[in-house]
Amino acid sequence: MRRPHFDMNVFKERRARLSGMAPGAAIILRSHPEMMRQYDVDHHYRPDSNLFYLTGWEEPESVFVFRPGQTPESVLFVRRKDVFRETWDGFRYGPEAAATEFRMDKTYLIDELDAVLPELLKPVARVYYHFNVDPDFDRRFLGLMEKFRVSLGRTGRGCLPIHDSWELLGEMRVKKEPYEAGVLRKACEITANAHVEVMRAVKPGMNERQLHGLFVGSAFRQGASREGYNSIVAGGAGATTLHYVFNDQVLRDGDLLLIDAGAECEYFTGDVTRTYPVNGRFTEAQKRVYEAVLKVQKDVIAMIKPGLPFTKLQEATIGWLVDAMLDLKLLKGDKRQIIDAGDFRKYYPHGVGHWLGMDVHDAGLYVIDGAPRPIEPGMVFTVEPGLYVPANDASAPAEYRGIGIRIEDDILVTADGCENMTAAAPKEIAELEEIVGKGAR
Ligand SMILES: [Mn+2]
């Protein structure tokens, strides 16, 4: 039999914490649909992060119901054992083994959900659920909620209020426990090492795809389980497309390469971007833009400490990048007016960072009750300023057209400042010129 390769105490401890946060509630989490099935081929299925976070359970067609303080408290609905399907698609635990191996109080077949869920809701005052992951299941869930309401008759109880499970669990996930920070640090180290391996290999004439393969190969060799998101490997002006997905062009001498890629390890992912010259030497124009972005990135990281509102990082980034745009003569005019009118978005259209964890854009609120959220120890987020000058931008100095630069690191907030968990990936010009294209160590 296949054994779970995660420490079940971790999930039990998380459930115990959640239990204290949501008394009287039922949290209902379903597995992701296997929506990537095309014809006869299954494309990478990844379990729902919240479901995995609380259970360690990885099979599709499953529903977890958690009822803090009730008996049973943890209830998992799973697929039946099926020798025929297992021959095609692999091992399934089935309800009995799911209960023992994953330490559930009670397990059922997924086919029993419609009959059992209304019973489980009887002692419950409210429900946490997240809509829009699977509209078919949303309809089934709402049907069951209505069936439950009808079953109450004239008892004075009516519809159960539904809250957002994504918000509830996001509040747990946004601050990393020491164990979680440790796993994330490992994912970040693997990511940084894989970036270095790619840097060493880069030469004019290589295809973006080769480098993508190198990154993934390096990550897997180091123990990663998958890419954390769709890697961006963009040579030349491809880097000015924020979500460049083609990864299929030949790298040209004299161009920059932007690579935004992360390795996932035990369900936590790194998220790193580096930009450097394909031939190992920055031109003077590339250097000027790069230095500007690098300085902003380092200055933003230097600001990070507990208590600072997260939104201040973006405000500072915009101010400093507008200074750079004026210096580089990308924009002309008054700084305040440029900021107020949003004119900087032509060259810097995104945010400076996002929470990072089990999902690359991790769960957690940025604003609480309308107020910007102060950052706290244990939070992890990216810092990724960039400047992107479209190749056909007639208003920009010609030497900058087609230059796209982003520099991204993963930052853990500590008690008195922060830790750059991806510092092992070089970003200084001198370091990059030293390493790019120099071959394996
Ligand atoms: Mn990112």
Side-chain angles (χ1 to χ4, degrees):
M1 178 170 100
R2 191 180 152 87
R3 304 300 299 265
H5 40 231
F6 297 97
D7 178 0
M8 287 300 140
N9 289 320
V10 168
F11 306 105
K12 216 169 156 52
E13 190 276 330
R14 286 174 181 159
R15 292 198 294 271
R17 243 178 337 125
L18 176 59
S19 192
M21 288 168 67
I27 295 104
I28 302 175
L29 303 174
R30 64 140 302 151
S31 56
H32 271 174
E34 289 173 284
M35 51 191 157
M36 293 306 285
R37 180 172 269 265
Q38 290 177 348
Y39 302 102
D40 254 359
V41 178
D42 287 318
H43 292 272
H44 307 291
Y45 158 80
R46 184 186 188 271
D48 176 77
S49 293
N50 282 334
L51 175 63
F52 181 86
Y53 179 76
L54 291 177
T55 62
W57 183 253
E58 296 177 283
E59 287 186 24
E61 294 180 67
S62 311
V63 173
F64 177 58
V65 180
F66 188 64
R67 304 184 308 161
Q70 308 283 347
T71 309
E73 188 177 55
S74 54
V75 182
L76 189 61
F77 296 81
V78 305
R79 303 179 300 184
R80 67 174 70 247
K81 293 288 290 176
D82 180 333
V83 174
F84 178 73
R85 281 311 329 164
E86 289 182 58
T87 302
W88 284 95
D89 300 331
F91 176 79
R92 299 172 171 199
Y93 283 97
E96 288 77 25
T100 50
E101 296 292 328
F102 292 83
R103 302 207 206 157
M104 292 291 134
D105 297 334
K106 184 84 186 145
T107 54
Y108 294 96
L109 288 173
I110 188 69
D111 310 340
E112 298 174 283
L113 182 73
D114 291 17
V116 175
L117 186 65
E119 290 300 311
L120 292 175
L121 293 179
K122 275 187 180 160
V124 160
R126 64 193 191 287
V127 163
Y128 287 88
Y129 179 78
H130 189 64
F131 288 95
N132 287 328
V133 174
D134 180 355
D136 289 339
F137 190 81
D138 290 349
R139 275 191 289 280
R140 185 173 169 194
F141 166 75
L142 287 172
L144 286 170
M145 293 292 281
E146 175 59 9
K147 186 176 159 191
F148 173 69
R149 186 194 67 80
V150 169
S151 79
L152 295 172
R154 298 184 181 180
T155 60
R157 293 184 68 200
C159 305
L160 282 179
I162 303 173
H163 299 253
D164 191 349
S165 61
W166 188 88
E167 271 187 34
L168 176 72
L169 290 163
E171 283 315 289
M172 290 181 74
R173 285 170 49 190
V174 76
K175 277 176 279 180
K176 276 64 184 174
E177 296 288 306
Y179 160 80
E180 294 164 349
V183 177
L184 188 46
R185 189 176 289 111
K186 188 171 154 199
C188 285
E189 282 166 12
I190 292 174
T191 299
N193 293 339
H195 272 274
V196 171
E197 198 166 323
V198 172
M199 284 171 191
R200 291 191 164 279
V202 168
K203 294 269 188 210
M206 288 179 87
N207 193 291
E208 292 164 356
R209 217 174 251 150
Q210 283 174 268
L211 300 175
H212 185 190
L214 261 181
F215 181 88
V216 174
S218 170
F220 279 15
R221 252 194 327 280
Q222 297 178 73
S225 30
R226 51 173 87 79
E227 287 176 275
Y229 53 94
N230 295 325
S231 298
I232 297 166
V233 185
T240 64
T241 301
L242 295 182
H243 289 162
Y244 178 84
V245 293
F246 303 115
N247 296 353
D248 63 354
Q249 296 296 298
V250 172
L251 299 179
R252 295 181 315 185
D253 201 343
D255 276 354
L256 290 171
L257 168 71
L258 181 151
I259 169 162
D260 181 347
E264 182 184 301
C265 179
E266 295 176 41
Y267 286 86
F268 282 88
T269 188
D271 179 6
V272 168
T273 308
R274 288 295 182 263
T275 310
Y276 45 86
V278 166
N279 64 12
R281 283 269 161 229
F282 283 86
T283 65
E284 288 306 313
Q286 290 166 348
K287 219 179 248 186
R288 280 195 289 276
V289 186
Y290 188 90
E291 287 283 18
V293 176
L294 181 62
K295 179 162 185 347
V296 173
Q297 204 243 9
K298 292 200 284 194
D299 289 349
V300 170
I301 293 173
M303 290 173 68
I304 297 169
K305 60 172 193 295
L308 183 78
F310 189 79
T311 47
K312 289 280 177 207
L313 301 176
Q314 173 72 341
E315 284 171 29
T317 303
I318 290 169
W320 289 329
L321 283 177
V322 169
D323 289 338
M325 291 173 206
L326 291 166
D327 284 350
L328 294 166
K329 306 213 169 6
L330 291 168
L331 292 177
K332 293 186 198 65
D334 175 67
K335 180 178 175 184
R336 195 68 255 163
Q337 272 175 6
I338 289 168
I339 293 173
D340 291 344
D343 293 341
F344 61 87
R345 290 201 192 96
K346 182 175 176 189
Y347 301 111
Y348 171 60
H350 58 76
V352 73
H354 50 78
W355 306 134
L356 180 72
M358 295 182 68
D359 293 307
V360 63
H361 293 171
D362 208 28
L365 301 173
Y366 293 91
V367 171
I368 293 183
D369 295 330
R373 173 173 215 166
I375 55 184
E376 298 174 54
M379 289 179 167
V380 178
F381 51 86
T382 62
V383 174
E384 48 179 312
L387 278 178
Y388 316 89
V389 186
N392 60 0
D393 179 11
S395 73
E399 56 183 347
Y400 301 138
R401 291 177 204 165
I403 291 181
I405 288 166
R406 179 164 64 252
I407 307 169
E408 174 177 34
D409 282 303
D410 302 340
I411 308 297
L412 169 69
V413 183
T414 59
D416 51 1
C418 67
E419 170 193 337
N420 182 350
M421 299 202 293
T422 49
K427 62 185 176 186
E428 298 293 337
I429 285 181
E431 292 174 319
L432 290 167
E433 291 190 337
E434 184 69 25
I435 195 171
V436 171
K438 295 296 154 61
R441 258 170 298 202

